[in-house]
């Protein structure tokens, strides 16, 4: 009795590895995006704190040196927020690219899996057909050998 052997099994295994790697890369990109979003939120909070501190200094009648220091501090915090936005945008683009790559890898794997499934179905159908053919032949031979059926 023969057994099913899918000749493209090594290719399918390679595609499965690629799919797994693409999913891992996507998960890593999503984690990096979440980290960048947290850093951006922290930078935005620090910028709001800097504005509040500067407003307090202005209302507290601070001297010119302190007001200048607050303005410079706000400029630095604003740059941090802008750098955070750029980082989030970059991470978002990377995540989108990884998602596209993961979709392609999954699609390529599924194509081979469907091909394997169809080949296995054809093999099983052929095995069942041959088994039925053997059973029919045995039944025919048995019917031909029955005693008392001589003509």
């Amino acid at each position: 009795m023969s057994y099913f052997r899918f000749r493209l099994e090594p290719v399918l295994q390679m595609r499965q590895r690629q799919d797994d790697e693409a999913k891992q890369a996507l998960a890593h990109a999503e984690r990096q995006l979440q980290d960048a979003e947290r850093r951006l939120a922290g930078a935005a909070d620090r910028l709001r704190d800097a504005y509040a501190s500067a407003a307090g200094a202005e209302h507290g009648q601070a001297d010119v040196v302190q007001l200048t220091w607050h303005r410079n501090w706000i400029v630095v915090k604003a740059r941090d927020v802008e750098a955070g936005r750029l980082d989030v945008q970059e991470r978002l683009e990377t995540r989108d690219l990884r998602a596209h790559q993961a979709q392609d890898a999954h699609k390529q794997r599924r194509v081979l899996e469907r091909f394997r499934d169809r080949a296995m179905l054809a093999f099983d159908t052929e095995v069942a057909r041959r088994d039925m053919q053997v059973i029919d032949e045995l039944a025919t031979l048995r019917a031909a050998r029955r005693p008392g059926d001589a003509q």
Side-chain angles (χ1 to χ4, degrees):
M1 177 163 182
S2 62
Y3 62 93
F4 177 74
R5 182 176 170 272
F6 186 57
R7 289 187 201 173
L8 295 176
E9 190 65 35
V11 176
L12 178 58
Q13 290 173 355
M14 179 189 70
R15 294 282 166 86
Q16 287 171 337
R17 277 192 308 275
Q18 288 174 344
D19 187 30
D20 292 342
E21 290 168 0
K23 286 178 184 176
Q24 289 173 354
L26 175 60
H28 181 70
E30 286 177 348
R31 280 191 305 273
Q32 286 183 330
L33 175 61
Q34 290 171 354
D35 290 343
E37 288 172 339
R38 276 194 294 276
R39 285 191 303 271
L40 175 60
D45 289 343
R46 287 187 295 277
L47 179 61
R48 276 192 299 278
D49 292 345
Y51 274 118
S53 178
E58 283 181 21
H59 291 301
Q61 309 263 328
D63 62 357
V64 175
V65 173
Q66 250 188 337
L67 292 176
T68 304
W69 181 86
H70 278 288
R71 283 190 195 111
N72 291 336
W73 187 36
I74 289 172
V75 168
V76 169
K77 296 305 168 191
R79 286 182 187 156
D80 290 346
V81 168
E82 187 57 32
R85 281 190 188 121
L86 292 174
D87 189 35
V88 166
Q89 182 62 33
E90 182 181 322
R91 304 291 180 179
L92 188 61
E93 290 170 0
T94 301
R95 195 263 331 250
D96 291 345
L97 175 65
R98 297 289 185 244
H100 182 70
Q101 291 171 341
Q103 288 172 347
D104 286 346
H106 181 73
K107 190 184 315 180
Q108 290 175 357
R109 189 194 90 218
R110 287 295 300 144
V111 164
L112 280 177
E113 287 176 343
R114 284 193 301 269
F115 186 64
R116 180 197 58 201
D117 293 344
R118 278 190 234 127
M120 188 180 297
L121 179 64
F123 176 80
D124 290 343
T125 303
E126 180 61 22
V127 166
R129 187 190 67 77
R130 287 182 185 172
D131 289 347
M132 194 53 99
Q133 189 177 20
V134 168
I135 290 170
D136 288 346
E137 288 176 11
L138 287 173
T140 302
L141 288 174
R142 185 176 286 167
R145 292 185 185 171
R146 284 189 189 154
D149 285 346
Q151 296 177 347

